[in-house]
Amino acid sequence: MARVSQEHLDARRRQILDGAALCFARNGFHATSMQDVLKEVDLSAGAVYRYFSGKEELIGAIVAETLGSVRDAFEEVARQGPPPPPDELVASVLGRTLAARESLVVDGRPAFPRLVIQVWTETLRNEELALLLRDGYGSVRAAWGRIVEGYQEAGMMRADVAPDHVARTMIAAVLGFIAQQSLFGPAPIEVLRDGLRALTGMRDGDTPTGGSQLG
């Protein structure tokens, strides 16, 4: 019997994960059955169960893969000295994350933002998934914290702010941007980049030109 190559195994696993992600984004976790996944990927039950024991394992694999790729990207940047500014960094990492999944489309829209919302909802009833998500975001926060320390050491950011506070704020901005895409439709990554650039470029004492001032 011919030996199946690792490349073939990886491609088959990718096919199953992408098909499951489409099903989950389209119908949600509860309304999606393994039969739906089998139909989506056009594979036999045996072929799919060779890789994943069921729906819960598929969900966990999708979440772990996404958070792992984001964490790795930020950790790579954290090793640079100094790291690129936050607006460029976020645009680069999130842009790569979205681009890697741009082929996944539901009703003419990118599936990834919808999938993220589904994952958040599922954590309310699935403690195992909630733990996976907390651990994943925790590693991203830690990587962001090291990036902030790099900014502070280079004199690019105030030293009197806790790195974790900045890390949580940046994660909130990214997650909010993804949520907006799910609610309001796709938006180019430049929207987030330019908004962050404007906010981080503000200085004490800056005042608006024209119009009234609050207070």
Side-chain angles (χ1 to χ4, degrees):
M1 182 180 294
R3 184 176 181 181
V4 178
S5 69
Q6 187 60 47
E7 182 179 359
H8 174 82
L9 295 174
D10 291 344
R12 182 55 54 84
R13 187 176 189 275
R14 175 83 274 142
Q15 177 187 356
I16 297 168
L17 284 174
D18 288 349
L22 282 174
C23 289
F24 295 146
R26 185 185 300 122
N27 301 316
F29 294 125
H30 292 288
T32 298
S33 67
M34 282 302 291
Q35 192 61 40
D36 294 325
V37 175
L38 298 178
K39 183 178 179 181
E40 182 72 35
V41 299
D42 193 24
L43 291 173
S44 68
V48 171
Y49 285 114
R50 176 180 182 181
Y51 296 86
F52 302 99
S53 62
K55 190 165 65 171
E56 299 294 325
E57 188 173 348
L58 274 168
I59 296 169
I62 292 170
V63 171
E65 179 184 62
T66 301
L67 289 174
S69 64
V70 172
R71 178 203 61 222
D72 292 347
F74 282 131
E75 288 182 345
E76 178 183 345
V77 171
R79 292 191 288 269
Q80 300 178 20
D87 56 311
E88 295 180 12
L89 172 55
V90 169
S92 173
V93 173
L94 183 57
R96 277 186 283 171
T97 300
L98 295 175
R101 295 156 179 82
E102 63 184 357
S103 62
L104 304 180
V105 178
V106 173
D107 298 331
R109 287 186 172 188
F112 183 69
R114 292 176 58 165
L115 182 63
V116 170
I117 300 298
Q118 296 286 355
V119 169
W120 292 344
T121 303
E122 182 67 8
T123 59
L124 298 177
R125 59 164 292 277
N126 186 330
E127 181 57 33
E128 186 174 337
L129 181 61
L131 179 60
L132 177 64
L133 209 62
R134 285 196 295 270
D135 287 347
Y137 280 129
S139 64
V140 172
R141 275 175 58 189
W144 249 114
R146 289 190 290 274
I147 291 170
V148 173
E149 291 171 354
Y151 290 148
Q152 292 172 332
E153 291 170 2
M156 299 169 62
M157 185 175 287
R158 290 170 47 171
D160 60 343
V161 178
D164 186 60
H165 294 184
V166 180
R168 291 174 69 109
T169 300
M170 296 308 298
I171 291 173
V174 171
L175 295 181
F177 183 70
I178 293 174
Q180 286 187 46
Q181 294 205 48
S182 178
L183 291 169
F184 311 132
I189 196 65
E190 288 77 15
V191 171
L192 180 60
R193 183 202 64 193
D194 293 349
L196 288 173
R197 182 172 295 170
L199 290 171
T200 56
M202 295 176 66
R203 297 289 184 271
D204 290 342
D206 283 355
T207 56
T209 58
S212 60
Q213 299 182 31
L214 296 177

